[in-house]
Amino acid sequence: MRVDRQTLAAHRAAILDQAARLFRRRGLNGVGIAEISRAAGLTHGAFYGHYPSKAALAAEALGGSLLVAAERWRVRAARARAEGRDPLAELVGGYLTERHRDSLDDGCALAALGPEVARAEPPLPEALRAGVQAMAGVLEDEIARAHPALPQSTCRDASLAMLAAMNGGLILARALAADPERSRASLSAAAALALRAVPSA
C-alpha cells in the first residue's frame, strides 16, 4: 500500500525521536534497528524506507539534536539578556543541573554520546563536529557580545573551554551519581570553571 508524504514524514520523525532517546539512554551499540522501529510503531522493514543504515540514522539524530540544543541556547541567552541577566551564566547554570544530570533520554547528546562517536566511522564524527560548532558558536557570540574588545580567536578559544568544562562536568556528575555529594560538587565546580574560562577583557 502506498503511503502519502505526510505519513512518511511522520514515520521519519518518529524514528528520529525514538532513536535519539534510545541512543542517549543506552549508547549507539546498545540499541538495534528492530528496537528503534518498534519504539516508533513501525516494522523493521519500514525503517529502510527512511535510512540506509543505523549509522545514517544516528548521524541525523545526533546532529539534529545538537543543532536544536544550540538554537535553544540562543533563545535562552536572548531571553536572559532581555531580562537583565547574564546570558553565559544562564546557559552554564541551566546545563549543569541535577535535573539535566538525571535526564539521559532527553539530555545533551554530546555528553551522552560524544566519547562513543569519537571512535565511530563516518558520517557520525562529521555530525558531532557540526553540532559542537553550533553549540560553541552560541557561547562564542555571547562572549564577543559581552567583551567586544576581545579578538575573535580569544572568544573562540574561550567558548571551547566553556563547552569542555560544561560537557565534562556533566559526564563526571553522571559517573558519580551514586555519590550524590560528589556528583553535586562536580556540577558546581564545572560551572565555576566554565565561567572562569571567559577572559575579563
Side-chain angles (χ1 to χ4, degrees):
M1 185 175 77
R2 200 169 175 85
V3 180
D4 62 72
R5 288 186 180 182
Q6 187 174 358
T7 302
L8 282 172
H11 288 174
R12 187 180 182 94
I15 291 171
L16 265 177
D17 180 61
Q18 293 303 323
R21 290 179 180 276
L22 288 167
F23 287 146
R24 283 188 294 238
R25 167 65 63 178
R26 304 228 305 270
L28 297 173
N29 294 323
V31 59
I33 290 172
E35 185 176 359
I36 293 169
S37 300
R38 276 196 307 274
L42 302 170
T43 64
H44 183 258
F47 171 89
Y48 291 101
H50 297 277
Y51 296 96
S53 66
K54 188 173 84 168
L57 168 62
E60 187 171 335
L62 172 64
S65 66
L66 293 177
L67 294 176
V68 167
E71 186 53 36
R72 286 178 180 158
W73 278 11
R74 283 200 187 280
V75 171
R76 185 169 192 160
R79 185 184 305 123
R81 194 165 47 252
E83 295 173 356
R85 299 191 309 278
D86 179 352
L88 289 169
E90 186 82 6
L91 294 176
V92 171
Y95 189 91
L96 291 165
T97 65
E98 292 179 56
R99 182 180 178 281
H100 191 194
R101 177 198 64 194
D102 299 337
S103 300
L104 287 175
D105 288 359
D106 58 359
C108 179
L110 178 59
L113 299 170
E116 195 174 350
V117 171
R119 297 187 294 272
E121 303 214 352
L124 274 164
E126 289 82 355
L128 178 70
R129 194 159 40 246
V132 167
Q133 184 174 346
M135 295 175 79
V138 177
L139 298 173
E140 182 179 340
D141 289 348
E142 291 302 326
I143 293 168
R145 192 187 303 268
H147 304 282
L150 289 176
Q152 182 180 2
S153 60
T154 302
C155 296
R156 181 201 60 216
D157 291 349
S159 73
L160 291 172
M162 284 190 77
L163 185 58
M166 293 163 70
N167 186 248
L170 183 61
I171 292 172
L172 183 60
R174 285 176 173 173
L176 296 174
D179 184 343
E181 185 176 347
R182 294 191 74 188
S183 181
R184 284 192 295 270
S186 298
L187 293 171
S188 59
L193 185 62
L195 291 172
R196 282 202 301 270
V198 182
S200 56

